[in-house]
Amino acid sequence: MSSDEAPPLYQQIAGQLAELVRNGTLVRGEKLPSVRALARQHGVAQTTVVQAFHWLEDARLVVARPRSGFFVAPRPAPLPEPQASRPRGRPREVSVDWLGQRILGREQPAGLVSFSSGTPGADMLNPDRVRRAVTRAVQRHRHLLCAYPSATGQEEARRALARYAVGLGCTLDPANVIVTSGCMDSIGLCLRAVTQPGDVVAIESPTHFSFLEVLQSLHLRALEIPTHPRHGLSLDALQLALDTQPVKALLLVPTLSNPLGACMPQPERRRLAQMAARHGIAVIEDAIYNDLAEPDEMRRTVKSYDTTGHVMLCDSFSKTLAPGLRLGWVEAGRWGERVRAIKDLQSGGQSAVLELALADLITQAGHAAAMRQLRALAAARLDGARHAIAAHFPPGTRVSDPPGGLLLWLELPRGLDAVRLHEACLAEGILVAPGTVFSASARFRNCLRIGMGGDWTDRHLDALRRVGDIATRMGEQAPGTAYTRRSRETDPAA
């Protein structure tokens, strides 16, 4: 690794302190060690420690008190979490709503304050680090620019991905790793390998909008499974579905699911792998958010418990390194050769130079520190957004509390129409995503997904407060809304 890849000393110190805050070793309100003590402990100048504290302040993880020192910042006000979903237990044809395409499409009108993205922007990622890796790859492997790439990926990249997967709890053979054009490309390949048009695919409820798009494009039917906002998909409900429906595959995000932010407990992940083997179904696991999860144990995949090859692991680094690289990967278990054949026929290979740049990035000694820094920044955004929601949204609003990522799921008081709220906000130049676009059955009409991706500024917090004020006004005016005017001092949701 070149010396310019190591994070500055102050960022290394800040990352260590941020990790202690996130894992609870340093509790909210606790005083941090003094600047002098930390400088002596790390063998650095006091100015370096002051820089670290300023970084933590910017991330809203610590606060300074004059003549007293630095303290761990308080948590946002407690808010009740959304209720578990209860979808109807029958498969449905998928027809993607035009509203979802307008909100979550890549092209949006200039000037909007958008809450549609959960992908970090350049202010959270490190484009210079990526640029240096790409430059090195071009310099060292420029001959590959004049050759067609391998359909399954460069061997060096596949070895790097197999080493990376150790952090996900997996022991993978690099020969079975296939490099793709992104996580959704991996998921599409897996679905093509294990289903035929008209087959039933079980999904979380609510689910990622892009999952609905790919199911529709492949003419597959969706079976929504009840999902808890903290623990994820209900395996008891899934078992009932497997006993009563012709389910061919399960598509899910066990870590920081989109849009709920739920994380399936590890015993449930083991149980899911066993269920897949017992019923002979494919589990297509999307691990794109695993590196954003604060608890280490949440990064272990369902695939790590798979002994029969029924779990197909899909991933990319779009949420943690650079969406513009457009690279992902898949280890498809017993369907590996089928996926390989489909990919070879469908799209061939990606840019070999970019694959080698990715291998460089994920094997650098500073990569773990970069992920800690990213998680700290994401945690700060989540805290800031939850503060705004607690202060400005209607009493009775329920909000998810994910252990990482950049997505919040809001359940508004019953009777408050999130689609109408979307239209009212759009009229003021603010874009929010109503819950209906995350369901094949247009459920979750009183829910919102708030994405804190992109380049986040104070303008976004002001806009989020405005969304809450508009929702409060709509709740007061809507007849029959399950909403009462209570003081924010006495309302548990305020």
Side-chain angles (χ1 to χ4, degrees):
M1 182 186 80
S2 77
S3 60
D4 66 352
E5 299 300 341
L9 284 173
Y10 79 90
Q11 285 189 9
Q12 296 179 41
I13 295 170
Q16 293 173 18
L17 292 171
E19 186 72 18
L20 294 174
V21 171
R22 286 197 305 273
N23 66 25
T25 302
L26 292 173
V27 299
R28 304 287 176 162
E30 181 176 350
K31 184 177 180 179
L32 274 68
S34 69
V35 170
R36 181 176 300 173
L38 283 172
R40 188 166 53 247
Q41 175 186 340
H42 291 277
V44 298
Q46 292 186 28
T47 53
T48 301
V49 177
V50 170
Q51 279 184 293
F53 279 142
H54 287 164
W55 185 92
L56 291 166
E57 277 190 293
D58 290 341
R60 300 188 184 182
L61 292 175
V62 306
V63 293
R65 297 179 186 170
R67 295 185 295 277
S68 296
F70 289 88
F71 294 77
V72 181
R75 284 282 292 169
L79 294 163
E81 68 182 6
Q83 298 177 355
S85 64
R86 297 178 181 176
R88 295 180 179 88
R90 58 186 180 86
R92 300 182 64 94
E93 301 286 342
V94 179
S95 178
V96 173
D97 195 319
W98 64 270
L99 184 60
Q101 293 174 325
R102 180 176 79 175
I103 296 169
L104 302 173
R106 291 181 178 84
E107 299 297 329
Q108 294 175 353
L112 280 179
V113 180
S114 176
F115 296 101
S116 66
S117 173
T119 301
D123 58 334
M124 293 184 72
L125 302 175
N126 191 336
D128 285 337
R129 179 174 171 240
V130 177
R131 175 185 56 78
R132 290 190 291 266
V134 171
T135 300
R136 280 194 300 272
V138 171
Q139 291 171 341
R140 295 171 182 171
H141 308 284
R142 55 184 175 272
H143 64 283
L144 293 176
L145 296 172
C146 301
Y148 282 112
S150 162
T152 54
Q154 292 293 304
E155 182 180 355
E156 182 179 334
R158 289 187 279 110
R159 287 200 308 268
L161 289 165
R163 290 198 297 273
Y164 164 80
V166 172
L168 304 177
C170 300
T171 302
L172 304 181
D173 183 343
N176 296 331
V177 174
I178 302 172
V179 184
T180 68
S181 297
C183 197
M184 286 308 304
D185 183 33
S186 298
I187 289 168
L189 289 168
C190 290
L191 285 169
R192 285 178 172 88
V194 300
T195 65
Q196 297 291 329
D199 282 346
V200 175
V201 176
I203 57 173
E204 295 157 306
S205 178
T207 194
H208 186 10
F209 176 73
S210 293
F211 289 177
L212 298 176
E213 287 187 308
V214 72
L215 291 178
Q216 176 179 271
S217 70
L218 297 176
H219 305 286
L220 298 169
R221 292 183 294 159
L223 178 62
E224 297 185 55
I225 306 296
T227 305
H228 189 279
R230 195 166 359 109
H231 304 309
L233 183 134
S234 167
L235 294 191
D236 290 339
L238 175 63
Q239 182 63 63
L240 178 62
L242 296 177
D243 291 340
T244 59
Q245 303 287 346
V247 177
K248 288 294 183 68
L250 167 66
L251 174 57
L252 83 165
V253 187
T255 296
L256 298 177
S257 65
N258 183 350
L260 286 178
C263 285
M264 180 179 285
Q266 289 300 324
E268 294 288 272
R269 299 184 193 217
R270 182 191 299 273
R271 180 185 167 197
L272 176 55
Q274 294 169 344
M275 289 173 63
R278 188 165 61 249
H279 289 271
I281 69 162
V283 171
I284 303 172
E285 178 180 13
D286 181 343
I288 196 169
Y289 297 105
N290 286 44
D291 278 344
L292 293 176
E294 294 178 9
D296 291 343
E297 66 272 13
M298 290 303 179
R299 295 180 209 130
R300 182 171 181 177
T301 58
V302 176
K303 180 68 176 178
S304 68
Y305 298 106
D306 178 29
T307 60
T308 59
H310 283 87
V311 180
M312 310 170 81
L313 180 60
C314 303
D315 198 0
S316 88
F317 300 90
S318 295
K319 310 299 182 184
T320 53
L321 280 176
L325 289 179
R326 299 308 301 153
L327 290 174
W329 60 279
V330 58
E331 205 283 4
R334 59 177 52 216
W335 294 281
E337 288 305 316
R338 173 68 175 153
V339 167
R340 194 185 307 269
I342 294 172
K343 185 178 189 304
D344 193 27
L345 180 65
Q346 176 179 292
S347 60
Q350 295 66 233
S351 165
V353 169
L354 292 184
E355 289 180 18
L356 293 168
L358 175 64
D360 180 3
L361 287 164
I362 63 176
T363 55
Q364 290 170 7
H367 183 65
M371 293 302 98
R372 287 196 297 271
Q373 178 181 351
L374 180 58
R375 287 191 289 270
L377 290 170
R381 285 198 189 176
L382 284 175
D383 280 359
R386 285 173 59 83
H387 272 299
I389 291 165
H392 290 270
F393 275 69
T397 297
R398 295 172 174 267
V399 188
S400 62
D401 189 13
L406 290 167
L407 298 172
L408 288 174
W409 181 255
L410 278 64
E411 183 182 310
L412 302 171
R414 186 178 303 170
L416 210 163
D417 190 329
V419 176
R420 286 186 55 236
L421 176 61
H422 156 78
E423 297 291 350
C425 291
L426 194 59
E428 298 195 16
I430 304 170
L431 185 64
V432 294
T436 54
V437 303
F438 302 98
S439 168
S441 54
R443 296 171 58 82
F444 310 110
R445 187 133 189 136
N446 66 320
C447 295
L448 289 177
R449 191 195 76 171
I450 299 296
M452 286 150 285
D455 296 325
W456 186 265
T457 66
D458 288 340
R459 185 174 172 228
H460 285 79
L461 280 177
D462 290 340
L464 185 57
R465 298 183 188 105
R466 181 58 185 151
V467 174
D469 293 340
I470 295 171
T472 299
R473 187 189 68 232
M474 289 176 60
E476 292 170 349
Q477 295 173 348
T481 302
Y483 170 97
T484 57
R485 293 289 291 166
R486 292 167 288 184
S487 72
R488 296 192 182 277
E489 291 75 23
T490 60
D491 193 316

